[in-house]
């Protein structure tokens, strides 16, 4: 049985290898052609998806702890429990949708403005840097948001990390 599975898996990989390699090379080529800005925006999009997923985990953890106060639960337990949390209105899709859509829309407008400013700076003979800096700031903001969501789900290691980040942030101000 085990040999059958591994042979079928290898055959499946071998059958579709050219398509997978072409798709991978195409995406890499497009990102390389668009430059660092596109790569930073793609990283930001991935972080935004992680932020939404961890917000769901945090809401599910809140529901989990309300129902099973003596059982700690794991990240996977909370992720799998999200349907029940939604059923019991701990997760409200209209609120999640509005919050995510407005945040992504606002960030999209700000990124477009930064890109236009970069083009204007390039036309004036100055280096382009605004979009890169702003995208990095957004990535850091989303990373902190992911940490806050995991902290709300009850992960102590993330809580300690957030305390360090907030202490550094207060020193910068």
């Amino acid at each position: 049985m085990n040999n059958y599975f591994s042979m079928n898996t290898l055959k499946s990989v071998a059958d579709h290898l050219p398509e997978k390699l072409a798709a991978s090379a195409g995406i890499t080529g497009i990102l390389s052609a668009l430059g660092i800005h596109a790569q930073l925006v793609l990283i930001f999009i991935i972080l935004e998806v992680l932020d939404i997923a961890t917000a769901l985990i945090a809401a599910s953890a809140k529901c989990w702890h309300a129902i099973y106060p003596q059982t700690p639960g794991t990240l996977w337990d909370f992720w799998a429990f999200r349907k029940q949390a939604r059923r019991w209105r701990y997760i409200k899709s209209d609120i999640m949708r509005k919050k995510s859509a407005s945040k992504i829309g606002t960030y999209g407008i700000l990124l477009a403005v930064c890109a236009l400013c970069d083009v204007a700076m390039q036309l004036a003979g100055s280096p382009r840097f605004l979009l890169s800096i702003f995208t990095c700031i957004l990535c850091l903001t989303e990373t902190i948001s992911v940490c806050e969501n995991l902290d709300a789900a009850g992960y102590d290691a993330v809580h300690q990390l957030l305390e360090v980040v907030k202490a550094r942030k207060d020193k910068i101000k």
Side-chain angles (χ1 to χ4, degrees), residues 49-72:
V49 168
L50 284 173
D51 182 36
I52 292 168
T54 55
L56 291 172
I57 288 170
S60 296
K62 186 176 179 182
C63 179
W64 175 280
H65 292 305
I67 295 168
Y68 307 112
Q70 300 301 321
T71 309

Side-chain angles (χ1 to χ4, degrees), residues 9-158:
T9 303
L10 289 174
K11 184 179 180 327
S12 173
V13 169
D15 287 345
H16 301 289
L17 188 61
E19 294 94 351
K20 290 178 181 176
L21 288 175
S24 175
I27 291 170
T28 305
I30 290 170
L31 289 177
S32 294
L34 292 174
I36 190 72
H37 298 311
Q39 294 172 20
L40 288 172
V41 171
L42 180 63
I43 290 168
F44 166 70
I45 290 169
I46 292 168
L47 285 170
E48 185 62 36
V49 168
L50 284 173
D51 182 36
I52 292 168
T54 55
L56 291 172
I57 288 170
S60 296
K62 186 176 179 182
C63 179
W64 175 280
H65 292 305
I67 295 168
Y68 307 112
Q70 300 301 321
T71 309
T74 64
L75 192 65
W76 180 250
D77 290 333
F78 301 148
W79 179 255
F81 201 67
R82 70 189 186 285
K83 290 180 183 176
Q84 287 82 357
R86 185 170 180 220
R87 210 174 303 133
W88 291 321
R89 306 290 291 160
Y90 280 84
I91 297 173
K92 298 175 183 155
S93 33
D94 56 334
I95 293 172
M96 291 288 290
R97 185 175 38 251
K98 287 177 185 174
K99 179 182 166 189
S100 299
S102 68
K103 185 160 96 170
I104 291 171
T106 302
Y107 287 170
I109 290 168
L110 292 172
L111 287 168
V113 168
C114 287
L116 289 172
C117 289
D118 272 357
V119 169
M121 290 169 56
Q122 186 178 17
L123 291 173
S126 299
R128 297 170 61 173
F129 66 90
L130 192 58
L131 183 61
S132 297
I133 291 172
F134 188 74
T135 307
C136 289
I137 291 169
L138 288 180
C139 288
L140 289 172
T141 302
E142 289 307 308
T143 301
I144 291 170
S145 181
V146 166
C147 290
E148 287 172 343
N149 290 338
L150 291 175
D151 181 38
Y155 290 95
D156 291 335
V158 179

